């Protein structure tokens, strides 16, 4: 159970940042994950009054505020078009609509879950993370930051780049945490896969030339095999490492073939 | 701390602890349709509407609801009455425990999408677990209601 001594709605990012430096204080996203923790919190820092619940569009990118709910993220028309429905596909298995109305994009990224559908799709979209103090980082740079570095995630920046993308995941039941997440992306002549929930965090795997002749049954199979051989898989209560490796090969192959179909 | 919010249309001012959950807050004010089914954010039994959107009150601080509108089934009887009979007619309820959360989320679904397909209904209600597994009956009930509306 989470016990909280004090609740503060921060009036500025500076105030939130200053409060967050104390070890027993905590920043609230949607509270989806926090609420399940056994923890005594000094001050709960709510960012809900800082206007971070908007998705803004510029010439070059979409800027998704940290407090945007997963539901608003999946329903945003511009992002749906940019991702060809892949954002909604990636989030549809996360518990249910009520949960996704509260859980935030910022909390999902900041928590750096290994199993995250959110991280996988954002890596596929080559998103960047904007932190209040550390500035703008790639998803990989953010993942590598020490967890002792306490910052405020302000927004996620998604570049408006033309790409084809297909997202797939494997789950034991429809709304359970995924056994494996996978996105295959084709952009400017390059194809890469993002595979997550291994159960380690998601990572990017370039095609390394196996798709140079185009996507066919054989080359897609080879790409799946290559990713499955390169990725490091582990076991947990949801699945064993061997099963994950087999699923990875299948999902990458299927996603690559689906891309071909999409592109016509 | 003191908070002010609107609960089922009525202004409420209350003193709460910083960690009071919205679930306990509304139940303490007589809204007993809102239930603690799992406490792991999986069952949907604690669904309330916050500014019209369905959320899980077991994972929401009452403090965060300050300044907002909260609705529970107690305040939505009329809207629910429209379709719950159709669900009962299908024998979808066995123990009935999941019903308030299910009805709340169905209200939200029909407001957002008045003419959903079966797949859209399933997807929207995926976060409402029924331990008696009445899912097919619930779906048939909603479908019967929607068909009856079309027939006028
Ligand atoms: C039952 C359950 C099932 C789930 N299933 C899935 C699934 O299938 N797939 C999936 O991808 N995810 C899943 N998740 C994770 C979920 O999607 C969210 O990622 C998770 O709830 C965290 O988001 P939140 O907004 O609730 O953050 P919180 O729980 O509020 O916060 C998470 C962490 O981030 C910190 N934080 C939050 N916002 C900020 C910020 N702006 N700046 C700095 N720090 C911040 C908090 O202090 C905390 O440490 C599941 C979660 C639960 C509880
Ligand atoms: S009690 Fe809230 S989801 Fe089960
Ligand atoms: S009818 Fe018993 S839990 Fe749904």
């Amino acid at each position: 159970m989470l016990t909280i001594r004090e609740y503060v709605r921060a009036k500025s990012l500076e105030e939130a940042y200053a409060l967050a430096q104390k070890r027993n204080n905590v920043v609230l996203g949607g509270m989806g994950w926090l609420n399940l923790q056994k923890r005594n919190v000094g001050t709960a820092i709510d960012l809900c009054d800082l206007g971070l619940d908007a998705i803004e569009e510029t010439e070059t990118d979409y800027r998704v505020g940290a407090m945007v709910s997963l539901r608003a993220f999946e329903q945003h028309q511009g992002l749906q078009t940019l991702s060809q429905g892949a954002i909604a596909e990636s989030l549809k298995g996360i518990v249910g609509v009520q949960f996704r109305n509260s859980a935030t994009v910022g909390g999902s990224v900041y928590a750096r879950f290994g199993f995250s559908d959110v991280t996988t799709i954002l890596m596929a979209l080559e998103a960047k993370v904007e932190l209040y103090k550390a500035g703008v980082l790639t998803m990989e740079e953010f993942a590598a930051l020490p967890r002792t570095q306490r910052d405020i995630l302000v927004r996620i920046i998604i570049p408006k780049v033309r790409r084809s993308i297909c997202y797939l995941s494997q789950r034991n039941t429809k709304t359970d945490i995924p056994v494996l997440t996978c996105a295959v992306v084709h952009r400017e002549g390059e194809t890469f896969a993002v595979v997550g929930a291994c159960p380690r965090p998601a990572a990017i795997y370039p095609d390394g030339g196996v798709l140079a002749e185009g996507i066919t049954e054989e080359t897609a199979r080879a790409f799946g095999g290559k990713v499955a051989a390169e990725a490091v898989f582990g076991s947990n209560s949801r699945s064993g490492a061997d099963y994950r490796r087999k699923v990875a090969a299948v999902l990458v192959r299927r996603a690559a073939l689906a891309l071909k179909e999409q592109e016509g | 701390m003191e908070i002010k919010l609107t609960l089922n249309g009525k202004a409420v001012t209350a003193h709460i602890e910083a960690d009071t959950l919205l679930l306990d807050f509304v139940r303490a004010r007589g809204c007993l349709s809102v239930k603690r089914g799992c406490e792991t954010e999986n069952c949907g039994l604690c669904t309330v509407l916050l500014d019209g959107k369905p959320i899980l009150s077991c994972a929401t601080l009452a403090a965060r609801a300050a300044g907002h509108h909260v609705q529970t089934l107690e305040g939505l009887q009329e809207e629910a009455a429209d379709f719950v009979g159709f669900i009962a007619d299908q024998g979808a309820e066995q123990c009935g425990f999941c019903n308030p959360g299910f009805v709340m989320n169905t209200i939200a679904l029909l407001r957002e999408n008045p003419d959903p397909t079966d797949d859209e209904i399933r997807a929207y209600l995926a976060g409402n677990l029924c331990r008696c597994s009445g899912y097919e009956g619930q779906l048939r009930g909603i479908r019967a209601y929607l068909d009856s509306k079309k027939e006028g």
Side-chain angles (χ1 to χ4, degrees), chain A residues 35 95 98-99, chain B residues 23 34-47 55-59 127 129:
Chain A
N35 190 47
V95 191
Q98 303 100 307
F99 181 87
Chain B
L23 167 68
V34 188
K35 297 193 183 1
R36 180 176 260 113
C38 68
E39 260 192 311
T40 56
E41 302 159 25
N42 275 300
C43 74
L45 250 152
C46 62
T47 302
I55 57 145
L56 302 176
S57 61
C58 73
L129 302 188

Side-chain angles (χ1 to χ4, degrees), chain A residues 20 25-37 39 47 52 66-68 70 90-91 93-95 99-100 102-113 115-119 131 151-155 167 171 174-178 181, chain B residues 40-42 64:
Chain A
N25 291 353
V26 84
V27 176
L28 301 180
M31 263 191 75
W33 196 259
L34 278 173
N35 190 47
L36 298 182
Q37 294 185 352
R39 191 162 165 186
L47 309 178
L52 298 178
M67 294 297 281
V68 167
L70 294 182
S90 71
L91 303 188
I94 303 182
V95 191
F99 181 87
R100 301 201 298 280
S102 294
T104 62
V105 174
S108 299
V109 174
Y110 200 87
R112 284 172 270 192
F113 301 121
F115 58 75
S116 181
D117 292 287
V118 186
T119 306
L131 298 175
D151 210 328
I152 305 292
L153 197 156
V154 181
R155 61 178 65 81
Y167 188 93
R171 300 171 127 83
K174 268 191 179 171
T175 54
D176 192 16
I177 283 168
T181 60
Chain B
T40 56
E41 302 159 25
N42 275 300
R64 182 169 269 177

Side-chain angles (χ1 to χ4, degrees), chain A residues 2-7 9 28-33 35-36 46 48 67 71 75 95-99 101-102 175, chain B residues 1 18-19 21 39-42 44 47 53-56 58-61 63-64 66 105 112 123-124 126-128:
Chain A
L2 198 66
T3 63
I4 300 172
R5 205 155 26 98
E6 208 184 336
Y7 167 89
R9 285 193 182 182
L28 301 180
M31 263 191 75
W33 196 259
N35 190 47
L36 298 182
D46 201 338
C48 67
M67 294 297 281
R71 182 80 179 143
Q75 289 190 309
V95 191
V97 166
Q98 303 100 307
F99 181 87
N101 269 329
S102 294
T175 54
Chain B
M1 62 185 286
D19 50 13
L21 293 173
E39 260 192 311
T40 56
E41 302 159 25
N42 275 300
T47 302
K53 291 203 172 105
I55 57 145
L56 302 176
C58 73
T60 306
L61 292 180
R64 182 169 269 177
N105 210 26
E112 200 176 307
Y124 205 98
N128 289 85

